[in-house]
Each structure stands twice: as C-alpha cells, then as structure tokens.
Amino acid sequence: MFTTRPTLQGTFGMVSSTHWLASQSAMAVLEDGGNAYDAAVAAGFVLHVVEPHLNGPAGEVPMILAPKDGEIQVLCGQGPAPAGASAAHYRSLGLDLVPGTGPLAAAVPGAFDAWMLLLRDHGTRTLAEVLRYAIGYAEDGHAPVERVGLTVETVRELFETEWPASADIYLPGGKAPEPGKLFRNPALAATWRRLTAEAEAEGGADRVAQIDAARQIWRTGFIAEALVRQAAVPTMDTSGTRHTGTLTAADLADWSATYEPPATYDWNGWTLAKAAGWSQGPVFLQQLALLPAELPAYGSADYVHLLVEGCKLAMADREAWYGDAAEVPVDTLLSAAYNDERRALIKDSASLELSPGSPGGRTPVLSAHARAVASGLDAVGAPVAGAGEPTVAKDGATRGDTCHLDIVDRWGNMVAATPSGGWLQSNPVVPELGFPLGTRLQMAWLDEGLPNTLTPGRRPRTTLTPSLALRDGVPVMAFGTPGGDQQDQWQVHFFLAVALRDRVRGGLDLQGAIDAPNWHNDSFPGSFFPRGMRPGSVTVEEGMDPEVVAELRRRGHDVTVGDPWSEGRMCAVARDPETGVLSAAANPRGMQGYAVGR
C-alpha cells in the first residue's frame, strides 16, 4: 500500500516527534549511549526552542512510561491551580470564564519538573548532557518552521503595544522569525546555562544531586523569583482587561511532578493505558468500550458515523464527570453495563444533543456555559462559535496547540509524552528567562461543585493525552498527537487502523494508519477559551471518499470538507516483543513531524 513515507524499522532505537530537530536530537542521545528517557528529555527541551508557539518550560507535560521489565506509570507534569486561584476570586473580578491568555490563566508550571524527574529516576545522563541540544539551538539559532512567524504576526500588535519582552525576542528589528533565516533566543540559552552552572556547583559531580539542585532552583531560585515577578504584572488578556495572576513563591516551592498508575481498558487482546480522569485520557478508553462486538467495514460511512456518535457520548461524559476537583467514576464509565446502555443511544442519524450519562445512578451536572453552548447560545443569548482546530486570534486568544514525542530504545524502554502550554502567544515572555507562563487554567470552570471547578491545589482538566498500547500484557506501541480536543479522536482512529490491520486490504502499518484520511467533531464544549460548540459538526479531510461524505450528510451530520492533509498530527513507535524489531512513523501533515531510527 502506498504511504507518504516508509515505516522505519530497526533494532537500535526509534524516535517520532512533531519536529525533525527534536527527533534528531533524541536520536543523537541514543547514539551516544543514552536510553529512551534521556533522549525524551533532550527532545523535550529542544521542542521548547523550536516550537515555542506550541510548548514551553512553564507549560505542562503528561507522560506514559513503560520501563523494560517495569510497571507502566503515568508521570504527571500538569501543575495545579495556585492557592489563590479559586472560582470565587475569579468571579469577584467579574469573570464567567477563565481568560484564555495572561497570568490569571497560569497554573503552577509543570513541564520542567516532570522532565527533571524523568531524567533523575529513569535516565542515565547529566543535566548538561541533555540540555546542550536546546542550548545550542537557542544560542546559535535554528531555521524556524513557518508557523512560528505566522503566529507572531498574528499577535504583533499585542507584542508591540502590551508585551514588549515578547517583542524583544520574537520581533527583533521589527521582523518575525522567517524560515531559512536563523532565529535565536539568547535569553533562554542564558537561563539554561545559568541553571546548569548553579546545579553543578550545588550538586558537585553527582548526577542525581545536580538534577535535584536544578529542580530546587526552579522552585525557589532565580527562575522562581522571575516567574513570580511576572505573574504580578498587570497584563492584558482575552477579557479585554489587565489582570495580575495568582502564582506565588509558595505555590512553586510546594509542588513537584508525581507518578501515578494509568487508567486502562482491555479491548480485543489489547490493553490501552492513559492518564486518569484529571485528563481527557479515559475518553479514548470509553470510545473503545462503546464499540459493538462487530464493527462496520473500515472507512465506510457506517464506520465513521459509529465513531463520531460514540465520541459524542464519551465527550459528554467528559464534560459532566472528568476533573480533579471531585472523584471521577472511571471504572463505572468504562464498565460493560454502562456502555451497553450508552451504546443504545446511537441511532442511524446524527445526534445534536450533549447527553452525559448517569454512572452509578448519579445525576450529571454541567456548567452554565456548557448548557448554554449546547443550546447554541452563550450566557447572554448570542450565537457561540465552534471549537474547530486550535488557532490564535489577533488579541492573543488561543485554543492552544501541542507537541508530541514517542521513543523506544534497544533495551525496550518506551515513552510517550505530550508537552504543551507556555505558548509564546499566551503570556508575555519573562524578560530574565526567555519563556512565558502557561494558561492551562482556562480549562477549568468557575461554577462551584463540578469535577472541573477551578480549585486551589487541583489540576485543571487537560486535553493532553499520550497513549501506550500493550499486547498480551507487553508494551508494544507508544503514540499520540497534538490537537487539543481532537487528540483522543485522531488517536482512536489511528489505533483502530492499526488494530484492524488484518481486516484492511493490503494492511495498514504505522505510517499507513497515520496517513489514512482522518476527521473530528466539535459536538461538545471546547476546552479552550471561548469554549464554543458546534452540535452535529464533523470536519473531514478532502481525501475522504465523497460517497462517505454524502452519506454522512444524509444522516444529518454537518460535514465540513477541510483541506487535504489537515486532520491529525500523529506520532508513533512500536516494538515487536517476539522479534525485537522496532518501528516508527510520523505525520506528514504540517511538513515538520519526523521519525528517525536504525
């Protein structure tokens, strides 16, 4: 079967990420004797440099780890709401939604500490050895992808009039970064050089002591001091008003990344592992639980309709039951009895309703905003825009986007990580550091009593959702994608294309499954400001069979045919436990994701 690229195969190591420089940096670490976790940390920090519109050190990163002969773990790099970030405080400011930009939307930064914990506990390399790639690209420059400059141009006026520190880095001489011309971030390079020097002075020659010292510097040293100063600066945000944030020195000092068991679901000999209900990860698992025993023909209108309608049900349950401010009934949401009842709601025509279920007989409660957008109107009766693909508005409003990386090494260690947040367009650059705060709190509600109510010390529900697949209890595949609310739609479609390979003529290997025409729907409240919804919508790539599109429309789906190669940005690596053969594939869409390996 023709694919855009070959599925790479080898035995030494495989990397797939959303940027070729991150992939190659990770591979360089593997070639130098490092393991998958060393390589992931190096790639993660390179992504902060080369995709600054998609992630940064003060953002967040959930990871799923499959150490050789070890337990599957989720490493949570999602920071919580600061102690002062209560729903009541935000409502006292006249807000009914958390702003999409500015320090008021900043959670406790989570990405840096998660990368450090991964390096300390599972890696073998020193801080300097993994940071040197990011320092090099920040200091010596790299040729940026076109989207970096386009993003900067979108918020040029904001940078020039409100966020001068951002203009200093991203509009040097008044010019946005351009492809083919070296772009540098000397402030970021200086931050990592100072951090490394201080950590080495504190930790001496001991690798672990150096990493712990770096974590402490982030929490209480010069980096923490700069982050807290920035959070206190009145900053223009999407509310149209200048606000200060709630992040304090105590918030930074008291938090660290943590390990936890994954949520899992068994399906046809596979076990899928995801982050738990503080993320949208169980949505992936519930979509599998909603599938009937016999599936329609792959790629048919029946098949697409079934997956779209199942996704609507799972996303409605996400809206009512997921979050970190209350217990999430994941076991019930994934139970056979519950999903038998939910599956019966799938009809031949498209549903236009937001219909959460009642696990254990509990009554679902939605936020006022979710109820309003489900009716097609906002809280004041005006039409609500849909969610759609993550984008950036002229005032800096963003529904974000994300990066992803997957790595498997020669020893069988495997990792999937989805770094995001801390976008250059989301908050002003911290002048002393070269990167901004994040805005993940925009995913929490200001209504009281919901699982996803903005609550001090609790994580906002995140869209970030890396995946790990096991076969007969053995890890065989790590995968994931950027895409906000689309992540656990595109990933389900990819996984089924791989899992149903024997039923597809010619078969779909990793690259074929990534290349296959993809789609998403927005029939639920979006996770990003302004949190719109488009009931009945389905967006498909131009490559989808026109007869399938016509049948979907006949069934009542509001189908938008998007551009070719516009849906999904998957990455994947795999390992055959019987042969030891490693595989990797990457998304051709966007022309920057790459897999490397040998």
Side-chain angles (χ1 to χ4, degrees):
M1 177 179 176
F2 175 79
T3 58
T4 58
R5 308 167 182 177
T7 294
L8 305 185
Q9 292 191 312
T11 56
F12 181 82
M14 290 285 159
V15 180
S16 179
S17 87
T18 49
H19 197 290
W20 63 84
L21 292 179
S23 294
Q24 189 52 50
S25 297
M27 195 65 203
V29 173
L30 294 180
E31 294 284 5
D32 195 42
N35 66 19
Y37 307 114
D38 299 311
V41 176
F45 279 90
V46 169
L47 287 172
H48 297 331
V49 178
V50 300
E51 294 191 314
H53 58 311
L54 305 181
N55 79 134
E60 43 276 327
V61 56
M63 313 178 206
I64 302 185
L65 318 178
K68 176 176 169 53
D69 301 326
E71 293 292 322
I72 308 300
Q73 291 179 303
V74 171
L75 176 49
C76 174
Q78 174 59 66
S86 67
H89 170 63
Y90 284 55
R91 290 196 308 272
S92 75
L93 299 174
L95 300 170
D96 54 16
L97 288 176
V98 178
T101 60
L104 205 56
V108 177
F112 178 85
D113 196 64
W115 290 125
M116 289 298 99
L117 202 61
L118 179 67
L119 182 65
R120 187 194 73 179
D121 295 346
H122 298 277
T124 65
R125 292 310 193 237
T126 66
L127 184 66
E129 287 172 329
V130 295
L131 283 181
R132 68 187 183 96
Y133 304 93
I135 291 172
Y137 287 125
E139 194 167 64
D140 302 328
H142 69 284
V145 295
E146 184 180 22
R147 182 58 60 182
V148 176
L150 292 176
T151 300
V152 172
E153 287 294 353
T154 306
V155 289
R156 172 185 284 273
E157 182 178 352
L158 184 70
F159 282 12
E160 291 177 336
T161 61
E162 296 283 347
W163 298 2
S166 298
D168 289 345
I169 289 179
Y170 290 104
L171 288 168
K175 294 184 178 180
E178 298 179 57
K181 296 184 179 180
L182 290 180
F183 173 73
R184 297 176 174 86
N185 188 340
L188 180 59
T191 295
W192 297 146
R193 285 198 179 279
R194 180 178 173 183
L195 173 79
T196 302
E198 291 189 10
E200 289 176 345
E202 178 69 23
D206 184 88
R207 187 187 78 90
V208 170
Q210 287 181 14
I211 296 169
D212 281 337
R215 297 175 70 205
Q216 196 61 33
I217 293 165
W218 177 276
R219 291 192 188 110
T220 63
F222 78 95
I223 293 178
E225 293 169 358
L227 291 173
V228 172
R229 278 196 301 272
Q230 185 63 49
V233 175
T235 302
M236 180 66 70
D237 59 38
T238 53
S239 71
T241 302
R242 292 178 180 85
H243 289 113
T244 57
T246 59
L247 184 69
T248 67
D251 294 317
L252 283 163
D254 292 344
W255 184 82
S256 67
T258 53
Y259 296 103
E260 60 186 55
T264 61
Y265 184 75
D266 295 332
W267 185 82
N268 286 9
W270 296 81
T271 299
L272 283 303
K274 303 287 285 187
W278 55 268
S279 78
Q280 74 171 356
V283 163
F284 180 107
L285 308 179
Q286 191 177 354
Q287 287 176 85
L288 296 183
L290 284 163
L291 295 176
E294 292 295 324
L295 294 179
Y298 174 84
S300 65
D302 286 341
Y303 179 85
V304 176
H305 173 78
L306 174 68
L307 293 184
V308 168
E309 295 304 299
C311 177
K312 292 176 185 177
L313 294 173
M315 285 295 196
D317 280 342
R318 181 192 77 165
E319 195 53 53
W321 301 111
Y322 289 27
D324 196 35
E327 182 181 356
V328 182
V330 172
D331 289 345
T332 305
L333 289 169
L334 298 180
S335 67
Y338 179 76
N339 285 287
D340 286 346
E341 293 179 5
R342 299 287 278 157
R343 190 182 307 113
L345 300 176
I346 298 176
K347 307 301 182 184
D348 289 337
S349 59
S351 170
L352 304 181
E353 305 297 324
L354 183 67
S355 302
S358 300
R362 298 161 62 182
T363 301
V365 180
L366 300 175
S367 69
H369 184 86
R371 294 194 302 272
V373 297
S375 71
L377 301 175
D378 66 13
V380 295
V384 177
E389 190 65 3
T391 56
V392 183
K394 291 185 179 180
D395 64 354
T398 176
R399 290 191 293 273
D401 211 345
T402 301
C403 310
H404 188 80
L405 64 87
D406 301 302
I407 304 176
V408 59
D409 63 28
R410 54 185 153 160
W411 300 286
N413 299 302
M414 195 176 292
V415 56
T418 309
S420 186
W423 308 306
L424 69 86
Q425 67 276 14
S426 69
N427 253 313
V429 165
V430 183
E432 305 94 322
L433 302 179
F435 60 84
L437 289 163
T439 54
R440 191 60 55 173
L441 293 187
Q442 68 182 287
M443 296 189 170
W445 295 116
L446 300 182
D447 308 58
E448 297 289 357
L450 301 175
N452 193 32
T453 295
L454 181 64
T455 305
R458 296 292 182 172
R459 295 165 287 191
R461 189 191 70 212
T462 182
T463 54
L464 307 177
T465 175
S467 300
L468 189 83
L470 300 87
R471 192 76 169 159
D472 299 321
V474 179
V476 296
M477 185 165 64
F479 58 100
T481 180
D485 293 312
Q486 283 82 276
Q487 289 182 33
D488 278 321
Q489 300 186 58
W490 293 334
Q491 290 188 74
V492 166
H493 308 159
F494 161 81
F495 168 72
L496 289 175
V498 172
L500 300 175
R501 175 174 184 171
D502 293 340
R503 296 178 53 181
V504 180
R505 189 176 65 181
L508 286 178
D509 60 6
L510 292 188
Q511 191 63 53
I514 288 175
D515 289 353
N518 218 320
W519 66 91
H520 79 271
N521 84 90
D522 298 310
S523 294
F524 49 86
S527 294
F528 296 92
F529 185 93
R531 313 204 68 171
M533 172 177 168
R534 293 169 54 209
S537 68
V538 179
T539 303
V540 306
E541 286 182 303
E542 189 178 275
M544 184 172 282
D545 184 341
E547 293 185 6
V548 171
V549 172
E551 176 60 18
L552 291 173
R553 286 174 171 155
R554 190 192 68 78
R555 296 186 185 201
H557 295 281
D558 180 11
V559 181
T560 298
V561 178
D563 294 333
W565 301 106
S566 59
E567 287 286 316
R569 291 184 291 285
M570 292 291 308
C571 299
V573 300
R575 179 179 184 272
D576 186 326
E578 295 183 2
T579 66
V581 171
L582 312 178
S583 303
N587 171 54
R589 301 163 178 87
M591 299 176 66
Q592 67 183 66
Y594 258 88
V596 295
R598 72 171 177 87

